[in-house]
Amino acid sequence: MPKKFFEVDFPMIVARKIHNIKTKPPLSKPLIETHSTDSLLLDGHSLDSDRYCIIGADLRDIPTLEDKLKKFQINPELPTLFLSECVLVYMSPEQSSRLVHWIAETFPTAMFINYEQVNMNDRFGHIMIENLQRRQCNLAGVDLCQSLDSQKDRFLSSGWESVNALDMMTVYSMLPQEDVARIERLEFLDEKELLQQLLQHYCICWAVKDKLNLGLSQIGF
Ligand SMILES: C[S@@+](CC[C@H](N)C(=O)[O-])C[C@H]1O[C@@H](n2cnc3c(N)ncnc32)[C@H](O)[C@@H]1O
């Protein structure tokens, strides 16, 4: 069980998330109930409790991010799991590489799991980019979403010891087939070809650094 969860997003988005936590008892009650001391800290752009902390920060501004994580007493010596789902793709390749490089330098025992687009150089990928641009979503980091190798290179060239990546179609085909059949029945999945194309354009990439020799590089599918 993780000791503590830290979540980071832009200050404006965090303010909305905190508002939702404060106004929805199913979200606020577990925080209050599991909180042992009276140190629950809450302001417009951050919330800190024993097991969950949310911080408003721009992940491209590493000095400020570092200050805020220190203020909320993150312990970089503990084994730490970083998760990002469709976040790095919104930063330029230089910015996301700087971020993952800083993490590799600061957290000696860590795993980073990144889920986002891949194979964006084909026709389907171009249509995805155009659709997102039409909704004012600019994928500044799309150059690192060309292939599994470009996804892996971001970590390999930033101080991570070992890196793996799989496209989600491969992951989907590795799931127990009876579960796949059950999900497809539940979802009334008749557009199988579209699902396959979508899954081919998302990937999971995981990188490790393992100073404590926990065997993190053996974790996989
Ligand atoms: C497509 S959404 C994915 C949702 C995300 N997985 C979550 O759990 O909230 C992308 C998220 O990344 C955040 N984001 C993008 N660029 C960021 C940055 N430079 N700093 C902090 N958050 C950022 C956005 O505000 C948004 O919440």
Side-chain angles (χ1 to χ4, degrees):
M1 170 83 89
K3 195 172 158 65
K4 184 155 178 170
F5 295 87
F6 288 82
E7 179 169 354
V8 179
D9 208 317
F10 283 125
M12 205 178 80
I13 307 291
V14 166
R16 286 206 333 240
K17 288 186 180 180
I18 290 177
H19 174 77
N20 278 319
I21 292 171
K22 278 204 287 192
T23 53
K24 295 186 173 56
L27 297 178
S28 56
K29 257 176 87 184
L31 287 184
I32 296 160
E33 275 165 11
T34 59
H35 203 75
S36 56
T37 61
D38 60 354
S39 61
L40 185 81
L41 197 126
L42 228 165
D43 64 38
H45 295 116
S46 54
L47 177 162
D48 188 30
S49 67
D50 280 351
R51 307 244 1 257
Y52 173 75
C53 173
I54 182 164
I55 300 169
D58 185 336
L59 293 163
R60 297 167 299 185
D61 176 0
I62 292 170
T64 309
L65 174 69
E66 189 167 17
D67 280 353
K68 291 189 175 176
L69 288 171
K70 272 191 192 145
K71 179 179 159 198
F72 290 105
Q73 293 167 345
I74 199 165
N75 180 354
E77 294 307 317
L78 289 179
T80 306
L81 174 63
F82 291 83
L83 290 173
S84 62
E85 183 256 340
C86 296
V87 176
L88 302 185
V89 70
Y90 293 107
M91 303 176 207
S92 72
E94 297 72 32
Q95 289 161 339
S96 68
S97 297
R98 253 200 311 275
L99 176 66
V100 301
H101 183 256
W102 172 75
I103 293 172
E105 264 187 338
T106 311
F107 294 80
T109 307
M111 183 171 202
F112 196 121
I113 303 179
N114 181 39
Y115 173 86
E116 68 181 14
Q117 291 86 344
V118 74
N119 298 325
M120 294 304 275
N121 236 349
D122 63 12
R123 172 112 188 88
F124 191 87
H126 290 158
I127 293 172
M128 275 173 76
I129 295 168
E130 278 166 26
N131 285 345
L132 284 163
Q133 270 168 352
R134 231 173 277 133
R135 289 158 49 198
Q136 319 298 324
C137 276
N138 178 30
L139 301 187
V142 80
D143 283 353
L144 293 184
C145 301
Q146 301 307 319
S147 65
L148 293 176
D149 280 339
S150 63
Q151 284 283 0
K152 288 198 276 187
D153 282 348
R154 165 168 37 210
F155 291 95
L156 284 172
S157 57
S158 306
W160 291 81
E161 284 162 12
S162 74
V163 188
N164 286 285
L166 291 173
D167 70 72
M168 295 312 289
M169 190 58 227
T170 305
V171 174
Y172 195 64
S173 65
M174 288 157 78
L175 297 176
Q177 285 312 295
E178 57 276 27
D179 287 346
V180 170
R182 187 176 51 81
I183 291 163
E184 291 185 357
R185 267 198 314 276
L186 283 174
E187 297 283 336
F188 299 111
L189 205 70
D190 42 13
E191 295 273 7
K192 224 175 162 177
E193 208 175 302
L194 181 61
L195 173 71
Q196 286 177 355
Q197 275 183 313
L198 263 176
L199 293 176
Q200 275 154 7
H201 289 83
Y202 283 89
C203 73
I204 184 161
C205 179
W206 65 103
V208 303
K209 281 204 69 188
D210 196 359
K211 190 172 172 215
L212 290 177
N213 283 320
L214 300 178
L216 297 183
S217 63
Q218 263 116 63
I219 296 176
F221 282 87

Short mmCIF file of all heavy atoms in Angstrom, two decimals, residues 56-89:
data_model
loop_
_atom_site.label_atom_id
_atom_site.label_comp_id
_atom_site.label_asym_id
_atom_site.label_seq_id
_atom_site.Cartn_x
_atom_site.Cartn_y
_atom_site.Cartn_z
N GLY A 56 -1.03 22.52 -6.87
CA GLY A 56 -1.15 23.27 -8.12
C GLY A 56 0.23 23.72 -8.57
O GLY A 56 0.88 24.50 -7.87
N ALA A 57 0.70 23.22 -9.70
CA ALA A 57 2.02 23.63 -10.21
C ALA A 57 2.08 23.31 -11.70
O ALA A 57 1.39 22.42 -12.19
CB ALA A 57 3.13 22.88 -9.47
N ASP A 58 2.94 24.06 -12.39
CA ASP A 58 3.19 23.79 -13.80
C ASP A 58 4.38 22.83 -13.88
O ASP A 58 5.48 23.15 -13.42
CB ASP A 58 3.51 25.12 -14.51
CG ASP A 58 3.65 24.95 -16.01
OD1 ASP A 58 3.96 23.83 -16.47
OD2 ASP A 58 3.46 25.95 -16.73
N LEU A 59 4.15 21.65 -14.46
CA LEU A 59 5.20 20.63 -14.51
C LEU A 59 6.38 21.05 -15.39
O LEU A 59 7.43 20.40 -15.38
CB LEU A 59 4.62 19.30 -15.02
CG LEU A 59 3.61 18.63 -14.08
CD1 LEU A 59 2.79 17.58 -14.83
CD2 LEU A 59 4.33 17.99 -12.90
N ARG A 60 6.21 22.14 -16.13
CA ARG A 60 7.33 22.63 -16.96
C ARG A 60 8.25 23.54 -16.17
O ARG A 60 9.34 23.87 -16.62
CB ARG A 60 6.77 23.40 -18.18
CG ARG A 60 5.96 22.52 -19.11
CD ARG A 60 5.17 23.33 -20.10
NE ARG A 60 4.22 24.21 -19.43
CZ ARG A 60 3.33 24.98 -20.06
NH1 ARG A 60 3.27 24.95 -21.38
NH2 ARG A 60 2.51 25.76 -19.38
N ASP A 61 7.78 23.99 -14.99
CA ASP A 61 8.57 24.90 -14.15
C ASP A 61 9.14 24.08 -12.98
O ASP A 61 8.57 24.00 -11.91
CB ASP A 61 7.64 26.03 -13.66
CG ASP A 61 8.33 26.97 -12.70
OD1 ASP A 61 9.53 26.75 -12.39
OD2 ASP A 61 7.66 27.90 -12.23
N ILE A 62 10.30 23.46 -13.23
CA ILE A 62 10.82 22.49 -12.27
C ILE A 62 11.24 23.12 -10.93
O ILE A 62 10.92 22.56 -9.88
CB ILE A 62 11.93 21.63 -12.92
CG1 ILE A 62 11.24 20.76 -13.98
CG2 ILE A 62 12.65 20.75 -11.90
CD1 ILE A 62 12.13 20.02 -14.88
N PRO A 63 11.92 24.30 -10.91
CA PRO A 63 12.27 24.86 -9.59
C PRO A 63 11.05 25.08 -8.70
O PRO A 63 11.07 24.75 -7.51
CB PRO A 63 12.95 26.19 -9.95
CG PRO A 63 13.46 25.99 -11.34
CD PRO A 63 12.49 25.07 -12.02
N THR A 64 9.94 25.60 -9.26
CA THR A 64 8.74 25.83 -8.45
C THR A 64 8.12 24.49 -8.04
O THR A 64 7.69 24.32 -6.89
CB THR A 64 7.70 26.67 -9.24
OG1 THR A 64 8.37 27.82 -9.73
CG2 THR A 64 6.53 27.09 -8.38
N LEU A 65 8.09 23.53 -8.96
CA LEU A 65 7.55 22.20 -8.64
C LEU A 65 8.34 21.60 -7.48
O LEU A 65 7.77 21.07 -6.51
CB LEU A 65 7.66 21.31 -9.89
CG LEU A 65 7.29 19.84 -9.70
CD1 LEU A 65 5.79 19.69 -9.43
CD2 LEU A 65 7.68 19.02 -10.93
N GLU A 66 9.67 21.70 -7.57
CA GLU A 66 10.53 21.14 -6.52
C GLU A 66 10.25 21.81 -5.17
O GLU A 66 10.10 21.12 -4.15
CB GLU A 66 12.00 21.33 -6.92
CG GLU A 66 12.95 20.60 -6.02
CD GLU A 66 14.36 20.52 -6.60
OE1 GLU A 66 14.70 21.28 -7.53
OE2 GLU A 66 15.12 19.67 -6.10
N ASP A 67 10.15 23.14 -5.18
CA ASP A 67 9.86 23.88 -3.93
C ASP A 67 8.56 23.40 -3.31
O ASP A 67 8.46 23.17 -2.10
CB ASP A 67 9.70 25.38 -4.21
CG ASP A 67 11.04 26.05 -4.32
OD1 ASP A 67 12.06 25.38 -4.05
OD2 ASP A 67 11.07 27.24 -4.69
N LYS A 68 7.52 23.24 -4.16
CA LYS A 68 6.21 22.87 -3.63
C LYS A 68 6.23 21.44 -3.09
O LYS A 68 5.66 21.16 -2.03
CB LYS A 68 5.13 23.03 -4.70
CG LYS A 68 4.89 24.49 -5.03
CD LYS A 68 3.70 24.73 -5.92
CE LYS A 68 3.48 26.23 -6.09
NZ LYS A 68 2.41 26.57 -7.01
N LEU A 69 6.90 20.52 -3.80
CA LEU A 69 6.96 19.13 -3.32
C LEU A 69 7.72 19.07 -1.99
O LEU A 69 7.36 18.32 -1.09
CB LEU A 69 7.61 18.23 -4.36
CG LEU A 69 6.74 17.93 -5.59
CD1 LEU A 69 7.55 17.20 -6.67
CD2 LEU A 69 5.52 17.08 -5.22
N LYS A 70 8.78 19.92 -1.88
CA LYS A 70 9.53 19.96 -0.61
C LYS A 70 8.65 20.50 0.50
O LYS A 70 8.65 19.99 1.62
CB LYS A 70 10.76 20.87 -0.77
CG LYS A 70 11.98 20.14 -1.28
CD LYS A 70 13.20 21.03 -1.17
CE LYS A 70 14.36 20.45 -1.94
NZ LYS A 70 15.19 21.47 -2.54
N LYS A 71 7.90 21.57 0.18
CA LYS A 71 7.02 22.17 1.19
C LYS A 71 6.05 21.12 1.74
O LYS A 71 5.73 21.12 2.94
CB LYS A 71 6.25 23.33 0.54
CG LYS A 71 5.29 24.04 1.45
CD LYS A 71 4.58 25.19 0.74
CE LYS A 71 3.30 25.53 1.47
NZ LYS A 71 2.37 26.29 0.67
N PHE A 72 5.61 20.21 0.86
CA PHE A 72 4.67 19.18 1.33
C PHE A 72 5.40 17.88 1.71
O PHE A 72 4.78 16.82 1.79
CB PHE A 72 3.58 18.95 0.28
CG PHE A 72 2.65 20.13 0.19
CD1 PHE A 72 2.72 21.01 -0.88
CD2 PHE A 72 1.75 20.38 1.21
CE1 PHE A 72 1.89 22.12 -0.94
CE2 PHE A 72 0.92 21.49 1.15
CZ PHE A 72 0.98 22.36 0.08
N GLN A 73 6.71 18.01 1.89
CA GLN A 73 7.54 16.96 2.51
C GLN A 73 7.53 15.62 1.79
O GLN A 73 7.42 14.56 2.42
CB GLN A 73 7.13 16.78 3.97
CG GLN A 73 7.48 18.02 4.75
CD GLN A 73 6.85 18.08 6.11
OE1 GLN A 73 5.91 17.35 6.42
NE2 GLN A 73 7.34 18.97 6.92
N ILE A 74 7.64 15.68 0.48
CA ILE A 74 7.82 14.42 -0.25
C ILE A 74 9.21 13.89 0.13
O ILE A 74 10.13 14.67 0.33
CB ILE A 74 7.67 14.63 -1.77
CG1 ILE A 74 7.38 13.30 -2.46
CG2 ILE A 74 8.88 15.32 -2.38
CD1 ILE A 74 6.87 13.45 -3.88
N ASN A 75 9.31 12.57 0.27
CA ASN A 75 10.61 11.99 0.64
C ASN A 75 11.20 11.27 -0.57
O ASN A 75 10.81 10.15 -0.88
CB ASN A 75 10.41 11.02 1.81
CG ASN A 75 11.71 10.40 2.24
OD1 ASN A 75 12.75 10.60 1.61
ND2 ASN A 75 11.67 9.62 3.32
N PRO A 76 12.17 11.88 -1.27
CA PRO A 76 12.69 11.29 -2.50
C PRO A 76 13.47 9.99 -2.28
O PRO A 76 13.73 9.27 -3.25
CB PRO A 76 13.62 12.37 -3.07
CG PRO A 76 13.47 13.55 -2.21
CD PRO A 76 12.85 13.13 -0.93
N GLU A 77 13.81 9.70 -1.03
CA GLU A 77 14.56 8.46 -0.77
C GLU A 77 13.64 7.23 -0.77
O GLU A 77 14.10 6.10 -0.92
CB GLU A 77 15.30 8.53 0.58
CG GLU A 77 16.41 9.58 0.62
CD GLU A 77 17.41 9.42 -0.53
OE1 GLU A 77 17.81 8.28 -0.82
OE2 GLU A 77 17.77 10.46 -1.13
N LEU A 78 12.34 7.44 -0.60
CA LEU A 78 11.41 6.30 -0.63
C LEU A 78 11.18 5.85 -2.06
O LEU A 78 11.15 6.68 -2.98
CB LEU A 78 10.06 6.70 -0.02
CG LEU A 78 10.01 6.93 1.49
CD1 LEU A 78 8.60 7.33 1.90
CD2 LEU A 78 10.45 5.69 2.24
N PRO A 79 11.00 4.55 -2.31
CA PRO A 79 10.64 4.10 -3.65
C PRO A 79 9.37 4.82 -4.11
O PRO A 79 8.38 4.85 -3.36
CB PRO A 79 10.39 2.59 -3.48
CG PRO A 79 11.07 2.23 -2.21
CD PRO A 79 11.07 3.44 -1.34
N THR A 80 9.40 5.41 -5.28
CA THR A 80 8.30 6.28 -5.70
C THR A 80 7.82 5.90 -7.09
O THR A 80 8.63 5.70 -8.01
CB THR A 80 8.77 7.76 -5.71
OG1 THR A 80 9.32 8.05 -4.42
CG2 THR A 80 7.63 8.71 -6.00
N LEU A 81 6.50 5.80 -7.23
CA LEU A 81 5.89 5.48 -8.53
C LEU A 81 5.30 6.75 -9.12
O LEU A 81 4.48 7.42 -8.47
CB LEU A 81 4.80 4.42 -8.34
CG LEU A 81 3.95 4.07 -9.57
CD1 LEU A 81 4.82 3.46 -10.67
CD2 LEU A 81 2.83 3.10 -9.19
N PHE A 82 5.72 7.11 -10.32
CA PHE A 82 5.17 8.27 -11.03
C PHE A 82 4.21 7.76 -12.10
O PHE A 82 4.56 6.85 -12.86
CB PHE A 82 6.29 9.08 -11.69
CG PHE A 82 7.16 9.78 -10.69
CD1 PHE A 82 8.19 9.10 -10.06
CD2 PHE A 82 6.92 11.11 -10.35
CE1 PHE A 82 8.98 9.73 -9.09
CE2 PHE A 82 7.70 11.75 -9.40
CZ PHE A 82 8.72 11.05 -8.77
N LEU A 83 3.03 8.37 -12.16
CA LEU A 83 2.04 7.98 -13.17
C LEU A 83 1.64 9.20 -13.96
O LEU A 83 1.30 10.23 -13.37
CB LEU A 83 0.77 7.44 -12.49
CG LEU A 83 0.83 6.10 -11.77
CD1 LEU A 83 -0.49 5.85 -11.04
CD2 LEU A 83 1.09 4.98 -12.76
N SER A 84 1.67 9.12 -15.28
CA SER A 84 1.11 10.22 -16.07
C SER A 84 0.26 9.64 -17.19
O SER A 84 0.68 8.70 -17.88
CB SER A 84 2.21 11.12 -16.64
OG SER A 84 3.03 10.39 -17.52
N GLU A 85 -0.93 10.19 -17.32
CA GLU A 85 -1.85 9.70 -18.35
C GLU A 85 -2.18 10.88 -19.26
O GLU A 85 -2.83 11.84 -18.84
CB GLU A 85 -3.11 9.13 -17.68
CG GLU A 85 -4.12 8.53 -18.63
CD GLU A 85 -5.32 9.43 -18.87
OE1 GLU A 85 -5.60 10.33 -18.06
OE2 GLU A 85 -5.96 9.25 -19.91
N CYS A 86 -1.64 10.85 -20.48
CA CYS A 86 -1.87 11.92 -21.46
C CYS A 86 -1.56 13.30 -20.86
O CYS A 86 -2.40 14.19 -20.87
CB CYS A 86 -3.30 11.86 -21.98
SG CYS A 86 -3.64 10.36 -22.89
N VAL A 87 -0.36 13.45 -20.33
CA VAL A 87 0.09 14.72 -19.76
C VAL A 87 1.36 15.19 -20.48
O VAL A 87 1.43 16.34 -20.95
CB VAL A 87 0.36 14.58 -18.23
CG1 VAL A 87 0.92 15.88 -17.66
CG2 VAL A 87 -0.91 14.19 -17.49
N LEU A 88 2.36 14.31 -20.60
CA LEU A 88 3.64 14.72 -21.21
C LEU A 88 3.43 15.20 -22.64
O LEU A 88 4.15 16.07 -23.12
CB LEU A 88 4.64 13.55 -21.19
CG LEU A 88 5.00 12.95 -19.83
CD1 LEU A 88 6.09 11.90 -19.96
CD2 LEU A 88 5.42 14.03 -18.84
N VAL A 89 2.42 14.66 -23.31
CA VAL A 89 2.17 15.01 -24.72
C VAL A 89 1.81 16.50 -24.88
O VAL A 89 1.95 17.05 -25.97
CB VAL A 89 1.08 14.09 -25.32
CG1 VAL A 89 -0.29 14.38 -24.73
CG2 VAL A 89 1.05 14.15 -26.84
#
